[in-house]
Amino acid sequence: MILRSVVILFLAAFNLINAQSVKPKNIIILIGDGMGINYVGASILQDSISPFKEFKTIGLSITCSADKLITDSAAGATAIATGYLTNNKYISVDTLGRPLYTIFEHAEKLGLSTGLVVTATVTHATPGAFVGHTNDRNDQTLIASQMVEQDVDVVIGGGLKYFLPKSFSGERDDNVFLTDRLVNKGYALAKSYSELNELSDTTRQFYALLEMDGLPESLRRDYSLGDLTKKALSHLKNDSDGFVIMIEGSQIDWAGHDHKSKELLEEMKDFSSAVTEALVFAKADKNTLVLITSDHETGGMSVTKGNLDGSELELSYTSGGHTPSPVGIFAYGPGEELFKGTMNINDIGQKLFFLLDPTYKF
Ligand SMILES: [Zn+2]
């Protein structure tokens, strides 16, 4: 009995040491919304220097939500942000509507910085699950209020209208200027890409709300998600305690819903530019985990035609909505081995919590 206890204690200590040795200082989560395996495949076929070719650790994520075979973005992002499955349309609340603790909340509690970079509104379902709690993903004015209270350090994306009252061409019924609230809290505010670039690297906390609604699609933008990612990382890296950032290629999903193949491939290029920036940062830093995945597949897409060099790819679709096809996981950096194999989407969230804090218990 004593021997057994000693063995258990020894194993527990070994596990702890093991866990600490893989604990990354920084975590970069990249989510390609709607990015099924065939999206990554099309991107690899088209782009000879695709950053996806660099990954050695690859897994498969089963994306079903708590109540549906086919998830929506809210439940999908909640699983990654909290480690729990929930119902479709729910943003980081459980199936009974009670708030679920998020990886951003825990990172902030531990003294790390947090960041969000998206091409949709910053209050959309995917970023919303990292900064808000509601059973209605469409309540973006509520999510805006919640994220301002949560003190996320770096925020880049669209959706300025959810921070402004209706009387000021915004969407808020409560007549509140959340932009003033941010400035009073000491945040810098940028309302265009050039204003974002003017922020000095020493600016610790800022919101860059570049459009009233989502950002233009990548074809109609003169900056990439990679540019935005690089900028966010240049600020977050100043926190000696580390950071957690979520970067979303939001409009990959929109192109998939609309069966717009040219736009889909362009959005994948845009997302790939962010993956490249994340890998450049992680390789130089040597203590950063890069984790890429998706919340679900969209459109039942596959490549059905094209040239050997990857040009003129033709894509076909079997659905106008999401599908339950499992999606890929690509990991690089300390802790990457946890993401090998097949897992449920909320396992990704639980593993991220573990890497952030090996003592955290679910
Ligand atoms: Zn989605």
Side-chain angles (χ1 to χ4, degrees), residues 33-34 72-74 126 248 253 295-296 298 322:
D33 201 304
D72 77 332
S73 297
T126 306
E248 185 197 28
D253 172 67
D295 49 351
H296 54 79
T298 300
H322 301 171

Side-chain angles (χ1 to χ4, degrees), residues 266-297:
E266 285 298 325
E267 292 301 328
M268 281 304 300
K269 249 186 225 168
D270 192 44
F271 184 68
S272 296
S273 72
V275 175
T276 299
E277 289 299 337
L279 286 176
V280 165
F281 180 91
K283 283 176 183 172
D285 179 71
K286 296 186 172 60
N287 202 3
T288 297
L289 172 72
V290 177
L291 188 279
I292 305 167
T293 191
S294 180
D295 49 351
H296 54 79
E297 199 276 345

